[in-house]
Amino acid sequence: MTDLVLHIHSSPAEIDAKAWNDLLALQPNPSPFMRHEYLAALHESKSATPESGWTAAFVTLRRGKRLEGACPVYVKDHSYGEYVFDWAWANAYEQHGLKYYPKALVAVPFTPVPGARLLARDAKSRTLLVQGLVQWCKQEELSSLHLLFGADEDIAACAEAGLMLRHTIQFHWTNTEPGYPNFDAFLASLSHDKRKKIRQERRKVADAEVSFRWSRGADISTADWDFFYRCYARTYREHGNAPYLTRDFFHRMADTLPEAWLLFVAERAGKPIATSLIALSAAVENGVAGIGAPLAAYGRYWGALERVDCLHFDACYYQPLQWCIDNGVSRFEGGAQGEHKMARALMPVKTTSAHWLAHPSFADAVERFLEREGAGIENYMDHLDERSPFKAS
């Protein structure tokens, strides 16, 4: 396919935003996190830059001026902010006197949300994109290539190109067809003990005289964004880490992608005490995300300035689920890990990443490891399925 040319870009700003978003809109599993505005904000806000260990090397595949394929690529000198853990691989390299970093990553920084990663007009372009990525990694003498949380189409292209597959578990809630008419109907679908526990937890928050309000899109005020960031940063620091995302990132989101956000604010005596930020995958028309009924919701960030028993569960699960039911949202994704989410009716879902390692011996060792890990994941899924929170049919 000599008429197709691969380009490497050091910034998303080098790629036309409309062309990127038009290509994203063609994918079966787009998400707001792959929109040009989101990726550009990560770069321009200094949240994901070479200084923080994320060196952009975005790839485009063009036929003339027409964009046939594209994907976000970062050259990494660490494994933070990825949520598919390869620290053991890096340690093994080091123990054998080899360098694991730098490596190449096809992913959205700090965002473990499954969806399209290889934007392509057809399967052939997607396969060529993977092949081009592997060849570029060889030329740059990178240790490895990792595509994280890919859509089925991405994983198929990677498998065809010989990449190894790795599975992890997330927990997602589904608004069972034809959709729950209200939150009580949802609770009625659960087993008695799970239904009782949720009601008890919500009652504790209500008895503490905490109420919630929500704002969406452009209706989220600057003051609410400021308060959210104060809570978000505090939560990270309480765990001994600096926040991944800067305040400027969220400022840019409010300016360039407001329709993607839903904010819950918990208040007591008229004073805000906690927040929960949810992302929305809005319907897309002609490459433009609309403000209509969202297709999916994604639990992202939370923080609190006061301790209230069960407030986290209400802010991060029950309030968003009630909003999803009221607004006809089909799916709520709870983020990485956390089987405690099953008690809130978020069920296990297998997610997949793909990996290529340049060193043949280490590639063989990792392949054997992934076979064992994969069998463990299947057993874990079977174990979780036996613990369904729903009534027996």
Side-chain angles (χ1 to χ4, degrees):
M1 300 286 293
T2 56
D3 57 338
L4 284 172
V5 180
L6 199 75
H7 297 269
I8 308 297
H9 305 268
S10 62
S11 164
E14 297 177 5
I15 306 170
D16 179 74
K18 184 179 186 306
W20 179 285
N21 287 338
D22 286 348
L23 199 58
L24 174 63
L26 298 176
Q27 310 310 307
N29 294 285
S31 80
F33 311 107
M34 280 288 290
R35 284 186 63 85
H36 191 278
E37 296 90 338
Y38 188 91
L39 297 167
L42 287 171
H43 187 85
E44 294 164 0
S45 69
K46 308 299 182 185
S47 298
T49 61
E51 292 75 19
S52 59
W54 298 78
T55 300
F58 283 31
V59 170
T60 57
L61 191 66
R62 296 182 183 274
R63 177 177 286 112
K65 294 183 178 181
R66 177 181 162 100
L67 192 62
E68 298 289 334
C71 62
V73 182
Y74 295 90
V75 177
K76 296 288 301 298
D77 57 14
H78 58 67
S79 293
Y80 293 104
E82 298 178 13
Y83 302 94
V84 176
F85 304 110
D86 62 352
W87 295 106
W89 303 0
N91 289 338
Y93 268 64
E94 183 178 2
Q95 289 168 5
H96 287 80
L98 300 173
K99 290 185 177 180
Y100 188 68
Y101 305 108
K103 65 177 186 177
L105 190 74
V106 179
V108 181
F110 326 119
T111 310
V113 176
R117 295 292 180 266
L118 303 173
L119 311 185
R121 294 191 181 275
D122 52 41
K124 183 176 290 186
S125 296
R126 189 173 288 109
T127 298
L128 289 171
L129 199 54
V130 178
Q131 293 172 345
L133 283 165
V134 171
Q135 185 60 36
W136 175 75
C137 287
K138 292 178 180 178
Q139 292 173 355
E140 296 297 311
E141 298 184 346
L142 302 177
S143 75
S144 50
L145 170 69
H146 310 265
L147 183 145
L148 308 185
F149 302 106
D152 290 344
E153 298 78 15
D154 302 334
I155 299 306
C158 289
E160 182 181 347
L163 275 69
M164 298 175 288
L165 304 185
R166 188 181 191 185
H167 305 293
T168 54
I169 303 297
Q170 291 191 352
F171 296 85
H172 300 174
W173 173 86
T174 302
N175 196 358
T176 308
E177 291 291 343
Y180 298 109
N182 50 52
F183 193 80
D184 284 339
F186 158 62
L187 288 180
S189 72
L190 302 178
S191 63
H192 172 74
D193 60 327
K194 296 298 188 291
R195 182 168 63 248
K196 180 180 179 181
K197 181 178 179 64
I198 290 174
R199 284 177 171 157
Q200 288 175 338
E201 290 175 342
R202 299 199 85 182
R203 190 176 302 116
K204 288 180 180 179
V205 176
D207 289 347
E209 299 184 340
V210 174
S211 61
F212 286 87
R213 59 178 174 85
W214 61 265
S215 302
R216 181 183 177 189
D219 292 333
I220 304 175
S221 68
T222 301
D224 280 344
W225 277 116
D226 287 340
F227 178 71
F228 155 75
Y229 194 79
R230 182 182 170 195
C231 294
Y232 162 76
R234 175 169 176 165
T235 297
Y236 268 84
R237 293 188 178 106
E238 285 178 347
H239 290 86
N241 301 309
Y244 282 135
L245 302 172
T246 66
R247 175 63 182 94
D248 184 50
F249 169 79
F250 293 104
H251 175 80
R252 292 173 186 275
M253 286 294 91
D255 284 346
T256 64
L257 201 61
E259 69 275 6
W261 301 103
L262 171 68
L263 182 69
F264 292 91
V265 179
E267 296 180 327
R268 181 156 59 181
K271 175 186 174 183
I273 63 169
T275 61
S276 173
L277 185 66
I278 309 300
L280 302 173
S281 181
V284 176
E285 296 181 5
N286 299 321
V288 178
I291 199 71
L295 305 175
Y298 312 90
R300 297 307 305 132
Y301 310 106
W302 120 282
L305 302 186
E306 296 184 15
R307 302 291 184 186
V308 175
D309 193 17
C310 297
L311 179 58
H312 172 263
F313 297 137
D314 206 356
C316 295
Y317 301 112
Y318 308 141
Q319 293 294 329
L321 290 182
Q322 183 166 343
W323 191 93
C324 287
I325 291 168
D326 293 344
N327 289 274
V329 178
S330 61
R331 186 175 76 256
F332 175 74
E333 299 187 10
Q337 289 93 38
E339 65 179 69
H340 68 277
K341 296 169 185 172
M342 283 188 66
R344 283 87 200 170
L346 280 73
M347 297 300 291
V349 173
K350 188 161 62 176
T351 62
T352 307
S353 60
H355 308 269
W356 169 86
L357 278 71
H359 195 288
S361 296
F362 271 98
D364 289 343
V366 166
E367 186 172 25
R368 292 193 298 271
F369 164 77
L370 292 178
E371 289 175 358
R372 297 192 300 272
E373 185 184 58
I377 289 290
E378 292 298 331
N379 291 335
Y380 182 46
M381 284 285 290
D382 291 341
H383 170 69
L384 292 175
D385 286 340
E386 294 173 356
R387 298 164 49 196
S388 172
F390 293 94
K391 291 179 180 176
S393 57

